[in-house]
Amino acid sequence: MFYTTDTNQHGLSHDPFKAIVAPRPIGWIGSKGRDGSINLSPYSFFNAVSDRPKLVMFSSTGRKDSARNVEETGVFTANLVSRNLVEKMNHSSISVPYGTNEFALAGLTAEPGRLVDAPYVGEAFAVLECRVTEIMRPKDLNGEPTDNVMVFGQVVGIHIDEAIIRDGRLDMALARPVARMGYMDYSEGSDVFELVRPKTP
């Protein structure tokens, strides 16, 4: 099958786009507003951008609470969603009024960042503390700004629970990271295999 995205006439019961671009890591973003309220929200449009410097990004459809907070304070945390926390992550996605504490709603510990004034999930196996480097609205083919807000942050501090370190590396089979597969589907990344790059002839 083939279809053009301007008409989106794919004939399926659900749009397949997000299922094709998968698995997508979940950016569980912790932030704090200028008014002191804290927020925790999951974003499936999230990823690492580079490692020199260490940059990550998340994208919000519309100016949601996380985007508002990072615009106000310039900092955020990105918390690893592991299989043991997936139900709490899902609970933190609930739509509630601005200023509602999703950490408390999900039964999670909001720890203060070491280097940034933003909370992180105390129960997370790994956390990235980030300072905002750029916030932008990506444009479409006509050069018009879309309704999306992209936040880029440089990682300035990393928390790692030693429970997931084995043989000098993070062991993803122990961390069991969760990814979004599209629709309401998720996957767990504990079925790990290793590939070694081929040598140049």
Side-chain angles (χ1 to χ4, degrees), residues 6 17 76 92 94 96 102 122 124 131 137 181 183 186 191:
D6 56 344
F17 167 69
F76 64 94
S92 72
I94 189 170
V96 291
E102 289 88 354
R131 294 190 183 278
R137 288 187 178 271
M181 299 296 289
Y183 314 125
Y186 292 80
D191 185 12

Side-chain angles (χ1 to χ4, degrees), residues 17-196:
F17 167 69
K18 289 190 285 187
I20 295 170
V21 186
R24 299 191 308 280
I26 300 168
W28 207 7
I29 306 300
S31 63
K32 184 176 181 180
R34 190 179 292 139
D35 63 358
S37 64
I38 61 175
N39 180 269
L40 179 66
S41 298
Y43 290 85
S44 66
F45 289 111
F46 165 83
N47 220 316
V49 177
S50 69
D51 65 348
R52 296 180 187 174
K54 292 175 173 57
L55 295 172
V56 295
M57 64 74 60
F58 71 93
S59 180
S60 169
T61 302
R63 189 173 179 262
K64 295 179 181 176
D65 295 348
S66 301
R68 169 181 171 174
N69 286 349
V70 300
E71 284 178 343
E72 291 180 353
T73 64
V75 295
F76 64 94
T77 66
N79 304 268
L80 177 69
V81 179
S82 49
R83 182 64 184 86
N84 65 313
L85 294 176
V86 71
E87 286 80 12
K88 292 182 182 292
M89 176 278 295
N90 190 44
H91 198 66
S92 72
S93 70
I94 189 170
S95 181
V96 291
Y98 180 79
T100 303
N101 182 344
E102 289 88 354
F103 286 88
L105 284 179
L108 294 162
T109 307
E111 296 284 357
R114 299 264 188 103
L115 301 178
V116 302
D117 188 16
Y120 70 89
V121 175
E123 294 81 1
F125 282 135
V127 178
L128 309 176
E129 294 193 13
C130 306
R131 294 190 183 278
V132 175
T133 59
E134 187 177 1
I135 299 175
M136 62 178 289
R137 288 187 178 271
K139 298 176 181 177
D140 63 17
L141 286 174
N142 298 317
E144 297 295 324
T146 64
D147 189 37
N148 305 293
V149 179
M150 290 182 69
V151 176
F152 293 83
Q154 184 165 333
V155 179
V156 295
I158 299 176
H159 302 256
I160 302 172
D161 188 326
E162 293 186 10
I164 63 168
I165 297 176
R166 184 163 57 185
D167 299 329
R169 305 195 310 181
L170 291 193
D171 190 326
M172 289 296 103
L174 295 174
R176 301 174 66 191
V178 173
R180 187 74 184 269
M181 299 296 289
Y183 314 125
M184 294 296 106
D185 300 332
Y186 292 80
S187 66
E188 177 202 310
S190 61
D191 185 12
V192 179
F193 61 92
E194 187 174 87
L195 284 177
V196 178

